[in-house]
Amino acid sequence: MSTSETEDSVHAELTRLRESIDNIDAAVVHMLAERFKCTQQVGHLKARHHLPPADPAREARQIARLRQLAESANLDPAFAEKLLNFIIAEVIRHHETIAGGARTS
């Protein structure tokens, strides 16, 4: 195989892999959007029933669960925990905003 053919082969493989990455990224965004739709509903339910925006016990269970899932998927559990903590912080922020709106309406 010539250098040009090798370069073409490598470029084709990079393109294929990057297209897969792009598809996965799109799926992740859509899954996060669905997750946030559910958590918004939770926020409204909590606000209606005067429940606190955060649920530390639930969050701890979710972090432990996600760490186990990460380990079984050969993903760094610390990374998975950081990601979930970021998502949880955003969810709590949404719940606080919803609760604030529910109190004023």
Short mmCIF file of all heavy atoms in Angstrom, two decimals, residues 18-87:
data_model
loop_
_atom_site.label_atom_id
_atom_site.label_comp_id
_atom_site.label_asym_id
_atom_site.label_seq_id
_atom_site.Cartn_x
_atom_site.Cartn_y
_atom_site.Cartn_z
N ARG A 18 -15.46 9.78 13.49
CA ARG A 18 -15.99 11.09 13.86
C ARG A 18 -17.49 11.19 13.60
O ARG A 18 -18.21 11.83 14.37
CB ARG A 18 -15.21 12.20 13.16
CG ARG A 18 -13.82 12.36 13.74
CD ARG A 18 -12.99 13.35 12.99
NE ARG A 18 -11.70 13.56 13.67
CZ ARG A 18 -10.66 14.09 13.10
NH1 ARG A 18 -10.71 14.49 11.83
NH2 ARG A 18 -9.53 14.24 13.79
N GLU A 19 -17.95 10.55 12.54
CA GLU A 19 -19.39 10.52 12.28
C GLU A 19 -20.11 9.75 13.39
O GLU A 19 -21.20 10.14 13.83
CB GLU A 19 -19.68 9.92 10.91
CG GLU A 19 -19.33 10.86 9.77
CD GLU A 19 -19.43 10.21 8.39
OE1 GLU A 19 -19.67 8.98 8.30
OE2 GLU A 19 -19.25 10.93 7.39
N SER A 20 -19.50 8.67 13.85
CA SER A 20 -20.08 7.92 14.97
C SER A 20 -20.12 8.78 16.23
O SER A 20 -21.13 8.80 16.95
CB SER A 20 -19.29 6.64 15.24
OG SER A 20 -19.45 5.72 14.19
N ILE A 21 -19.04 9.49 16.49
CA ILE A 21 -18.99 10.38 17.65
C ILE A 21 -20.08 11.44 17.55
O ILE A 21 -20.79 11.73 18.53
CB ILE A 21 -17.59 11.01 17.79
CG1 ILE A 21 -16.57 9.95 18.20
CG2 ILE A 21 -17.60 12.18 18.79
CD1 ILE A 21 -15.12 10.38 18.06
N ASP A 22 -20.24 12.03 16.38
CA ASP A 22 -21.27 13.06 16.17
C ASP A 22 -22.67 12.48 16.44
O ASP A 22 -23.51 13.15 17.06
CB ASP A 22 -21.20 13.63 14.76
CG ASP A 22 -19.95 14.46 14.52
OD1 ASP A 22 -19.23 14.76 15.49
OD2 ASP A 22 -19.68 14.78 13.33
N ASN A 23 -22.91 11.26 15.99
CA ASN A 23 -24.21 10.62 16.22
C ASN A 23 -24.43 10.36 17.71
O ASN A 23 -25.53 10.56 18.22
CB ASN A 23 -24.33 9.31 15.43
CG ASN A 23 -24.47 9.54 13.95
OD1 ASN A 23 -24.92 10.59 13.51
ND2 ASN A 23 -24.08 8.56 13.16
N ILE A 24 -23.40 9.91 18.38
CA ILE A 24 -23.50 9.65 19.82
C ILE A 24 -23.74 10.96 20.56
O ILE A 24 -24.58 11.01 21.47
CB ILE A 24 -22.24 8.92 20.33
CG1 ILE A 24 -22.18 7.51 19.73
CG2 ILE A 24 -22.22 8.88 21.86
CD1 ILE A 24 -20.82 6.83 19.89
N ASP A 25 -23.02 12.01 20.20
CA ASP A 25 -23.23 13.32 20.83
C ASP A 25 -24.67 13.79 20.66
O ASP A 25 -25.28 14.30 21.61
CB ASP A 25 -22.27 14.37 20.26
CG ASP A 25 -20.83 14.20 20.71
OD1 ASP A 25 -20.59 13.41 21.66
OD2 ASP A 25 -19.95 14.84 20.10
N ALA A 26 -25.22 13.61 19.48
CA ALA A 26 -26.61 13.99 19.24
C ALA A 26 -27.55 13.18 20.13
O ALA A 26 -28.49 13.72 20.72
CB ALA A 26 -26.97 13.81 17.76
N ALA A 27 -27.29 11.89 20.25
CA ALA A 27 -28.12 11.03 21.10
C ALA A 27 -28.02 11.47 22.56
O ALA A 27 -29.03 11.51 23.27
CB ALA A 27 -27.72 9.57 20.94
N VAL A 28 -26.81 11.81 23.02
CA VAL A 28 -26.62 12.27 24.40
C VAL A 28 -27.43 13.53 24.65
O VAL A 28 -28.12 13.65 25.67
CB VAL A 28 -25.12 12.48 24.71
CG1 VAL A 28 -24.92 13.25 26.01
CG2 VAL A 28 -24.39 11.15 24.75
N VAL A 29 -27.38 14.48 23.73
CA VAL A 29 -28.13 15.73 23.89
C VAL A 29 -29.63 15.45 23.96
O VAL A 29 -30.34 15.99 24.82
CB VAL A 29 -27.79 16.73 22.75
CG1 VAL A 29 -28.78 17.88 22.70
CG2 VAL A 29 -26.38 17.24 22.92
N HIS A 30 -30.11 14.58 23.09
CA HIS A 30 -31.54 14.26 23.09
C HIS A 30 -31.94 13.52 24.37
O HIS A 30 -33.01 13.78 24.93
CB HIS A 30 -31.92 13.46 21.84
CG HIS A 30 -31.94 14.30 20.61
ND1 HIS A 30 -32.95 15.18 20.31
CD2 HIS A 30 -31.04 14.42 19.61
CE1 HIS A 30 -32.69 15.80 19.18
NE2 HIS A 30 -31.53 15.35 18.73
N MET A 31 -31.09 12.64 24.86
CA MET A 31 -31.38 11.93 26.11
C MET A 31 -31.38 12.91 27.29
O MET A 31 -32.24 12.81 28.17
CB MET A 31 -30.37 10.81 26.34
CG MET A 31 -30.48 9.66 25.34
SD MET A 31 -32.10 8.87 25.32
CE MET A 31 -32.16 8.19 26.97
N LEU A 32 -30.45 13.84 27.31
CA LEU A 32 -30.44 14.85 28.38
C LEU A 32 -31.70 15.71 28.31
O LEU A 32 -32.28 16.05 29.36
CB LEU A 32 -29.19 15.72 28.28
CG LEU A 32 -27.91 15.11 28.82
CD1 LEU A 32 -26.71 15.99 28.48
CD2 LEU A 32 -28.00 14.88 30.32
N ALA A 33 -32.13 16.06 27.11
CA ALA A 33 -33.35 16.85 26.97
C ALA A 33 -34.55 16.08 27.54
O ALA A 33 -35.38 16.65 28.26
CB ALA A 33 -33.60 17.21 25.51
N GLU A 34 -34.63 14.79 27.26
CA GLU A 34 -35.72 13.96 27.80
C GLU A 34 -35.62 13.88 29.32
O GLU A 34 -36.62 13.95 30.03
CB GLU A 34 -35.68 12.56 27.20
CG GLU A 34 -36.20 12.49 25.78
CD GLU A 34 -37.64 12.97 25.66
OE1 GLU A 34 -38.51 12.51 26.43
OE2 GLU A 34 -37.90 13.83 24.79
N ARG A 35 -34.40 13.73 29.83
CA ARG A 35 -34.19 13.66 31.28
C ARG A 35 -34.67 14.95 31.93
O ARG A 35 -35.35 14.93 32.95
CB ARG A 35 -32.71 13.42 31.58
CG ARG A 35 -32.44 13.15 33.05
CD ARG A 35 -30.95 13.03 33.34
NE ARG A 35 -30.67 12.40 34.61
CZ ARG A 35 -30.84 12.98 35.79
NH1 ARG A 35 -31.33 14.22 35.85
NH2 ARG A 35 -30.55 12.33 36.91
N PHE A 36 -34.32 16.10 31.34
CA PHE A 36 -34.73 17.37 31.92
C PHE A 36 -36.23 17.59 31.80
O PHE A 36 -36.82 18.25 32.67
CB PHE A 36 -33.92 18.53 31.33
CG PHE A 36 -32.58 18.69 31.98
CD1 PHE A 36 -31.43 18.29 31.33
CD2 PHE A 36 -32.46 19.22 33.25
CE1 PHE A 36 -30.18 18.41 31.94
CE2 PHE A 36 -31.23 19.35 33.87
CZ PHE A 36 -30.08 18.95 33.22
N LYS A 37 -36.88 17.05 30.80
CA LYS A 37 -38.35 17.13 30.75
C LYS A 37 -38.94 16.42 31.96
O LYS A 37 -39.87 16.92 32.59
CB LYS A 37 -38.88 16.49 29.46
CG LYS A 37 -38.69 17.34 28.22
CD LYS A 37 -39.21 16.62 26.99
CE LYS A 37 -38.83 17.34 25.72
NZ LYS A 37 -39.22 16.58 24.52
N CYS A 38 -38.41 15.26 32.29
CA CYS A 38 -38.88 14.51 33.46
C CYS A 38 -38.58 15.25 34.75
O CYS A 38 -39.44 15.34 35.64
CB CYS A 38 -38.26 13.11 33.50
SG CYS A 38 -38.82 12.01 32.21
N THR A 39 -37.37 15.79 34.86
CA THR A 39 -37.02 16.48 36.10
C THR A 39 -37.81 17.78 36.26
O THR A 39 -38.08 18.20 37.39
CB THR A 39 -35.50 16.74 36.22
OG1 THR A 39 -35.07 17.57 35.16
CG2 THR A 39 -34.72 15.44 36.25
N GLN A 40 -38.20 18.39 35.16
CA GLN A 40 -39.07 19.58 35.25
C GLN A 40 -40.42 19.18 35.85
O GLN A 40 -40.98 19.89 36.70
CB GLN A 40 -39.27 20.23 33.87
CG GLN A 40 -38.05 20.89 33.31
CD GLN A 40 -37.72 22.22 33.98
OE1 GLN A 40 -38.45 22.74 34.81
NE2 GLN A 40 -36.56 22.77 33.63
N GLN A 41 -40.94 18.03 35.43
CA GLN A 41 -42.21 17.54 35.99
C GLN A 41 -42.06 17.27 37.48
O GLN A 41 -42.95 17.58 38.26
CB GLN A 41 -42.66 16.29 35.24
CG GLN A 41 -43.08 16.57 33.81
CD GLN A 41 -43.39 15.29 33.04
OE1 GLN A 41 -43.42 14.20 33.59
NE2 GLN A 41 -43.60 15.44 31.75
N VAL A 42 -40.91 16.68 37.86
CA VAL A 42 -40.63 16.45 39.28
C VAL A 42 -40.61 17.79 40.02
O VAL A 42 -41.19 17.92 41.11
CB VAL A 42 -39.29 15.69 39.47
CG1 VAL A 42 -38.86 15.71 40.93
CG2 VAL A 42 -39.40 14.27 38.97
N GLY A 43 -39.98 18.78 39.44
CA GLY A 43 -39.91 20.11 40.06
C GLY A 43 -41.28 20.71 40.29
O GLY A 43 -41.56 21.29 41.35
N HIS A 44 -42.17 20.58 39.32
CA HIS A 44 -43.54 21.10 39.47
C HIS A 44 -44.30 20.33 40.55
O HIS A 44 -45.02 20.93 41.36
CB HIS A 44 -44.28 21.05 38.14
CG HIS A 44 -43.80 22.10 37.17
ND1 HIS A 44 -44.09 23.44 37.31
CD2 HIS A 44 -43.03 22.00 36.06
CE1 HIS A 44 -43.53 24.12 36.33
NE2 HIS A 44 -42.88 23.27 35.55
N LEU A 45 -44.12 19.03 40.58
CA LEU A 45 -44.76 18.20 41.61
C LEU A 45 -44.26 18.59 43.00
O LEU A 45 -45.04 18.76 43.94
CB LEU A 45 -44.50 16.72 41.33
CG LEU A 45 -45.18 15.71 42.25
CD1 LEU A 45 -46.69 15.82 42.16
CD2 LEU A 45 -44.72 14.30 41.89
N LYS A 46 -42.95 18.74 43.13
CA LYS A 46 -42.38 19.15 44.41
C LYS A 46 -42.91 20.52 44.83
O LYS A 46 -43.25 20.73 46.01
CB LYS A 46 -40.85 19.19 44.34
CG LYS A 46 -40.17 17.84 44.36
CD LYS A 46 -38.66 18.02 44.28
CE LYS A 46 -37.91 16.75 44.49
NZ LYS A 46 -36.45 16.97 44.52
N ALA A 47 -42.97 21.45 43.90
CA ALA A 47 -43.44 22.80 44.22
C ALA A 47 -44.89 22.77 44.68
O ALA A 47 -45.24 23.44 45.66
CB ALA A 47 -43.26 23.72 43.01
N ARG A 48 -45.73 22.00 43.99
CA ARG A 48 -47.15 21.91 44.36
C ARG A 48 -47.33 21.36 45.77
O ARG A 48 -48.28 21.72 46.46
CB ARG A 48 -47.92 21.05 43.37
CG ARG A 48 -48.32 21.76 42.10
CD ARG A 48 -49.38 21.01 41.30
NE ARG A 48 -49.03 19.63 41.00
CZ ARG A 48 -48.30 19.23 39.96
NH1 ARG A 48 -47.83 20.13 39.11
NH2 ARG A 48 -48.03 17.96 39.76
N HIS A 49 -46.44 20.47 46.16
CA HIS A 49 -46.57 19.81 47.46
C HIS A 49 -45.57 20.34 48.49
O HIS A 49 -45.38 19.73 49.55
CB HIS A 49 -46.44 18.29 47.28
CG HIS A 49 -47.57 17.74 46.47
ND1 HIS A 49 -48.80 17.48 47.00
CD2 HIS A 49 -47.65 17.44 45.15
CE1 HIS A 49 -49.60 17.02 46.04
NE2 HIS A 49 -48.92 17.00 44.90
N HIS A 50 -44.96 21.47 48.17
CA HIS A 50 -44.04 22.16 49.09
C HIS A 50 -42.91 21.25 49.57
O HIS A 50 -42.53 21.27 50.74
CB HIS A 50 -44.81 22.77 50.26
CG HIS A 50 -45.96 23.62 49.82
ND1 HIS A 50 -45.78 24.85 49.24
CD2 HIS A 50 -47.30 23.39 49.83
CE1 HIS A 50 -46.95 25.36 48.92
NE2 HIS A 50 -47.89 24.49 49.26
N LEU A 51 -42.38 20.46 48.65
CA LEU A 51 -41.22 19.61 48.95
C LEU A 51 -39.95 20.36 48.59
O LEU A 51 -39.95 21.21 47.69
CB LEU A 51 -41.31 18.30 48.15
CG LEU A 51 -42.53 17.42 48.46
CD1 LEU A 51 -42.61 16.27 47.46
CD2 LEU A 51 -42.45 16.90 49.88
N PRO A 52 -38.85 20.07 49.25
CA PRO A 52 -37.60 20.79 48.96
C PRO A 52 -37.08 20.46 47.55
O PRO A 52 -37.27 19.34 47.06
CB PRO A 52 -36.64 20.29 50.04
CG PRO A 52 -37.21 19.01 50.53
CD PRO A 52 -38.70 19.08 50.32
N PRO A 53 -36.40 21.43 46.93
CA PRO A 53 -35.85 21.20 45.58
C PRO A 53 -34.81 20.08 45.54
O PRO A 53 -34.72 19.36 44.55
CB PRO A 53 -35.22 22.54 45.22
CG PRO A 53 -35.87 23.54 46.09
CD PRO A 53 -36.22 22.81 47.37
N ALA A 54 -34.03 19.94 46.60
CA ALA A 54 -32.98 18.92 46.63
C ALA A 54 -33.43 17.73 47.47
O ALA A 54 -34.20 17.88 48.42
CB ALA A 54 -31.70 19.50 47.20
N ASP A 55 -32.93 16.56 47.11
CA ASP A 55 -33.20 15.33 47.86
C ASP A 55 -31.86 14.60 48.02
O ASP A 55 -31.52 13.74 47.21
CB ASP A 55 -34.21 14.47 47.11
CG ASP A 55 -34.62 13.21 47.85
OD1 ASP A 55 -33.93 12.83 48.84
OD2 ASP A 55 -35.63 12.60 47.46
N PRO A 56 -31.08 15.00 49.03
CA PRO A 56 -29.72 14.46 49.18
C PRO A 56 -29.66 12.93 49.23
O PRO A 56 -28.72 12.34 48.68
CB PRO A 56 -29.21 15.08 50.48
CG PRO A 56 -30.01 16.33 50.63
CD PRO A 56 -31.37 16.01 50.05
N ALA A 57 -30.63 12.28 49.85
CA ALA A 57 -30.61 10.81 49.91
C ALA A 57 -30.77 10.21 48.52
O ALA A 57 -30.05 9.28 48.14
CB ALA A 57 -31.69 10.30 50.86
N ARG A 58 -31.71 10.74 47.75
CA ARG A 58 -31.91 10.27 46.37
C ARG A 58 -30.66 10.54 45.54
O ARG A 58 -30.23 9.69 44.76
CB ARG A 58 -33.13 10.98 45.78
CG ARG A 58 -33.23 10.98 44.27
CD ARG A 58 -33.90 9.80 43.71
NE ARG A 58 -34.06 9.96 42.25
CZ ARG A 58 -34.04 8.97 41.40
NH1 ARG A 58 -33.91 7.74 41.82
NH2 ARG A 58 -34.17 9.19 40.12
N GLU A 59 -30.08 11.71 45.70
CA GLU A 59 -28.89 12.06 44.93
C GLU A 59 -27.74 11.12 45.25
O GLU A 59 -27.04 10.66 44.33
CB GLU A 59 -28.51 13.52 45.21
CG GLU A 59 -29.56 14.50 44.69
CD GLU A 59 -29.57 15.83 45.42
OE1 GLU A 59 -28.57 16.17 46.10
OE2 GLU A 59 -30.58 16.54 45.31
N ALA A 60 -27.57 10.78 46.51
CA ALA A 60 -26.50 9.86 46.91
C ALA A 60 -26.72 8.48 46.30
O ALA A 60 -25.78 7.84 45.81
CB ALA A 60 -26.41 9.76 48.43
N ARG A 61 -27.99 8.03 46.30
CA ARG A 61 -28.30 6.72 45.67
C ARG A 61 -28.01 6.76 44.18
O ARG A 61 -27.47 5.80 43.62
CB ARG A 61 -29.76 6.34 45.93
CG ARG A 61 -30.06 5.91 47.34
CD ARG A 61 -31.45 5.29 47.48
NE ARG A 61 -32.53 6.12 46.94
CZ ARG A 61 -33.18 7.07 47.64
NH1 ARG A 61 -32.85 7.31 48.89
NH2 ARG A 61 -34.15 7.75 47.07
N GLN A 62 -28.36 7.85 43.53
CA GLN A 62 -28.14 7.98 42.09
C GLN A 62 -26.65 8.00 41.77
O GLN A 62 -26.21 7.39 40.79
CB GLN A 62 -28.82 9.24 41.55
CG GLN A 62 -30.31 9.13 41.41
CD GLN A 62 -30.70 8.04 40.45
OE1 GLN A 62 -31.00 6.91 40.85
NE2 GLN A 62 -30.70 8.34 39.18
N ILE A 63 -25.88 8.69 42.57
CA ILE A 63 -24.43 8.75 42.34
C ILE A 63 -23.83 7.35 42.49
O ILE A 63 -23.04 6.91 41.65
CB ILE A 63 -23.76 9.77 43.27
CG1 ILE A 63 -24.14 11.19 42.82
CG2 ILE A 63 -22.25 9.59 43.30
CD1 ILE A 63 -23.80 12.28 43.81
N ALA A 64 -24.21 6.64 43.56
CA ALA A 64 -23.70 5.28 43.76
C ALA A 64 -24.10 4.38 42.59
O ALA A 64 -23.28 3.61 42.08
CB ALA A 64 -24.21 4.71 45.08
N ARG A 65 -25.34 4.49 42.16
CA ARG A 65 -25.84 3.68 41.03
C ARG A 65 -25.06 4.00 39.76
O ARG A 65 -24.64 3.10 39.03
CB ARG A 65 -27.33 3.96 40.83
CG ARG A 65 -27.97 3.20 39.71
CD ARG A 65 -29.48 3.53 39.65
NE ARG A 65 -30.01 3.10 38.38
CZ ARG A 65 -30.02 3.84 37.28
NH1 ARG A 65 -29.54 5.06 37.28
NH2 ARG A 65 -30.51 3.36 36.16
N LEU A 66 -24.86 5.28 39.49
CA LEU A 66 -24.16 5.68 38.26
C LEU A 66 -22.70 5.24 38.30
O LEU A 66 -22.15 4.83 37.28
CB LEU A 66 -24.26 7.19 38.04
CG LEU A 66 -23.90 7.62 36.63
CD1 LEU A 66 -24.96 7.15 35.65
CD2 LEU A 66 -23.72 9.10 36.55
N ARG A 67 -22.08 5.30 39.47
CA ARG A 67 -20.69 4.83 39.59
C ARG A 67 -20.60 3.34 39.26
O ARG A 67 -19.68 2.91 38.56
CB ARG A 67 -20.14 5.11 40.99
CG ARG A 67 -19.80 6.58 41.22
CD ARG A 67 -19.16 6.80 42.59
NE ARG A 67 -17.84 6.19 42.62
CZ ARG A 67 -16.71 6.81 42.33
NH1 ARG A 67 -16.72 8.07 41.97
NH2 ARG A 67 -15.55 6.18 42.40
N GLN A 68 -21.57 2.55 39.74
CA GLN A 68 -21.59 1.12 39.42
C GLN A 68 -21.79 0.89 37.93
O GLN A 68 -21.13 0.05 37.32
CB GLN A 68 -22.68 0.40 40.21
CG GLN A 68 -22.38 0.26 41.68
CD GLN A 68 -23.51 -0.41 42.43
OE1 GLN A 68 -24.68 -0.35 42.05
NE2 GLN A 68 -23.15 -1.07 43.54
N LEU A 69 -22.72 1.64 37.34
CA LEU A 69 -22.95 1.52 35.90
C LEU A 69 -21.70 1.88 35.12
O LEU A 69 -21.35 1.21 34.14
CB LEU A 69 -24.11 2.42 35.47
CG LEU A 69 -25.51 1.98 35.88
CD1 LEU A 69 -26.52 3.09 35.61
CD2 LEU A 69 -25.91 0.70 35.16
N ALA A 70 -21.03 2.93 35.55
CA ALA A 70 -19.80 3.36 34.88
C ALA A 70 -18.75 2.27 34.95
O ALA A 70 -18.10 1.96 33.94
CB ALA A 70 -19.28 4.66 35.49
N GLU A 71 -18.57 1.69 36.12
CA GLU A 71 -17.58 0.62 36.27
C GLU A 71 -17.89 -0.54 35.34
O GLU A 71 -16.99 -1.06 34.68
CB GLU A 71 -17.54 0.14 37.72
CG GLU A 71 -16.83 1.10 38.65
CD GLU A 71 -16.81 0.62 40.10
OE1 GLU A 71 -16.94 -0.60 40.34
OE2 GLU A 71 -16.65 1.48 40.98
N SER A 72 -19.16 -0.92 35.27
CA SER A 72 -19.51 -2.06 34.41
C SER A 72 -19.36 -1.73 32.93
O SER A 72 -19.21 -2.62 32.10
CB SER A 72 -20.92 -2.56 34.72
OG SER A 72 -21.88 -1.61 34.32
N ALA A 73 -19.38 -0.43 32.60
CA ALA A 73 -19.21 0.00 31.21
C ALA A 73 -17.78 0.40 30.90
O ALA A 73 -17.50 0.94 29.82
CB ALA A 73 -20.15 1.17 30.93
N ASN A 74 -16.86 0.14 31.84
CA ASN A 74 -15.45 0.51 31.67
C ASN A 74 -15.27 2.02 31.47
O ASN A 74 -14.45 2.46 30.66
CB ASN A 74 -14.80 -0.27 30.52
CG ASN A 74 -14.73 -1.74 30.83
OD1 ASN A 74 -14.38 -2.13 31.95
ND2 ASN A 74 -15.06 -2.57 29.87
N LEU A 75 -16.07 2.79 32.21
CA LEU A 75 -15.97 4.25 32.21
C LEU A 75 -15.49 4.67 33.59
O LEU A 75 -15.88 4.06 34.59
CB LEU A 75 -17.34 4.87 31.92
CG LEU A 75 -17.43 6.39 31.85
CD1 LEU A 75 -16.64 6.92 30.65
CD2 LEU A 75 -18.89 6.81 31.76
N ASP A 76 -14.66 5.66 33.66
CA ASP A 76 -14.14 6.13 34.93
C ASP A 76 -15.29 6.56 35.84
O ASP A 76 -16.02 7.51 35.51
CB ASP A 76 -13.19 7.31 34.68
CG ASP A 76 -12.59 7.90 35.94
OD1 ASP A 76 -12.82 7.36 37.04
OD2 ASP A 76 -11.88 8.91 35.82
N PRO A 77 -15.50 5.88 36.98
CA PRO A 77 -16.59 6.23 37.88
C PRO A 77 -16.50 7.66 38.41
O PRO A 77 -17.52 8.31 38.62
CB PRO A 77 -16.48 5.23 39.03
CG PRO A 77 -15.64 4.13 38.50
CD PRO A 77 -14.76 4.71 37.45
N ALA A 78 -15.29 8.17 38.60
CA ALA A 78 -15.13 9.55 39.07
C ALA A 78 -15.64 10.53 38.01
O ALA A 78 -16.30 11.53 38.35
CB ALA A 78 -13.67 9.84 39.39
N PHE A 79 -15.38 10.24 36.75
CA PHE A 79 -15.91 11.08 35.67
C PHE A 79 -17.43 11.03 35.66
O PHE A 79 -18.10 12.07 35.57
CB PHE A 79 -15.37 10.64 34.31
CG PHE A 79 -16.08 11.29 33.17
CD1 PHE A 79 -15.81 12.60 32.82
CD2 PHE A 79 -17.05 10.59 32.45
CE1 PHE A 79 -16.49 13.21 31.78
CE2 PHE A 79 -17.73 11.19 31.41
CZ PHE A 79 -17.45 12.50 31.07
N ALA A 80 -17.99 9.83 35.78
CA ALA A 80 -19.45 9.67 35.78
C ALA A 80 -20.06 10.44 36.95
O ALA A 80 -21.11 11.09 36.79
CB ALA A 80 -19.82 8.19 35.85
N GLU A 81 -19.41 10.38 38.10
CA GLU A 81 -19.92 11.11 39.27
C GLU A 81 -19.88 12.62 39.04
O GLU A 81 -20.83 13.34 39.37
CB GLU A 81 -19.12 10.74 40.51
CG GLU A 81 -19.65 11.40 41.76
CD GLU A 81 -18.97 10.93 43.03
OE1 GLU A 81 -18.26 9.90 43.02
OE2 GLU A 81 -19.17 11.60 44.06
N LYS A 82 -18.79 13.11 38.47
CA LYS A 82 -18.70 14.55 38.17
C LYS A 82 -19.81 14.98 37.21
O LYS A 82 -20.42 16.03 37.39
CB LYS A 82 -17.34 14.88 37.56
CG LYS A 82 -16.20 14.86 38.54
CD LYS A 82 -14.88 15.14 37.81
CE LYS A 82 -13.70 14.87 38.70
NZ LYS A 82 -12.43 15.00 37.98
N LEU A 83 -20.05 14.16 36.20
CA LEU A 83 -21.09 14.47 35.23
C LEU A 83 -22.45 14.51 35.91
O LEU A 83 -23.23 15.45 35.73
CB LEU A 83 -21.09 13.44 34.10
CG LEU A 83 -22.18 13.61 33.04
CD1 LEU A 83 -22.05 14.95 32.33
CD2 LEU A 83 -22.13 12.47 32.04
N LEU A 84 -22.75 13.49 36.73
CA LEU A 84 -24.04 13.46 37.41
C LEU A 84 -24.17 14.62 38.39
O LEU A 84 -25.24 15.23 38.50
CB LEU A 84 -24.27 12.13 38.11
CG LEU A 84 -25.69 11.96 38.69
CD1 LEU A 84 -26.75 12.08 37.60
CD2 LEU A 84 -25.82 10.63 39.41
N ASN A 85 -23.11 14.96 39.11
CA ASN A 85 -23.16 16.10 40.03
C ASN A 85 -23.48 17.39 39.28
O ASN A 85 -24.25 18.23 39.77
CB ASN A 85 -21.86 16.24 40.81
CG ASN A 85 -21.78 15.28 41.98
OD1 ASN A 85 -22.79 14.96 42.60
ND2 ASN A 85 -20.59 14.82 42.29
N PHE A 86 -22.91 17.54 38.09
CA PHE A 86 -23.21 18.72 37.27
C PHE A 86 -24.69 18.74 36.88
O PHE A 86 -25.36 19.77 36.98
CB PHE A 86 -22.31 18.71 36.02
CG PHE A 86 -22.55 19.86 35.10
CD1 PHE A 86 -22.05 21.12 35.40
CD2 PHE A 86 -23.28 19.69 33.94
CE1 PHE A 86 -22.28 22.20 34.54
CE2 PHE A 86 -23.51 20.76 33.08
CZ PHE A 86 -23.01 22.02 33.39
N ILE A 87 -25.20 17.59 36.46
CA ILE A 87 -26.61 17.49 36.06
C ILE A 87 -27.51 17.75 37.26
O ILE A 87 -28.50 18.49 37.16
CB ILE A 87 -26.88 16.11 35.42
CG1 ILE A 87 -26.16 16.01 34.07
CG2 ILE A 87 -28.38 15.88 35.25
CD1 ILE A 87 -26.13 14.61 33.48
#
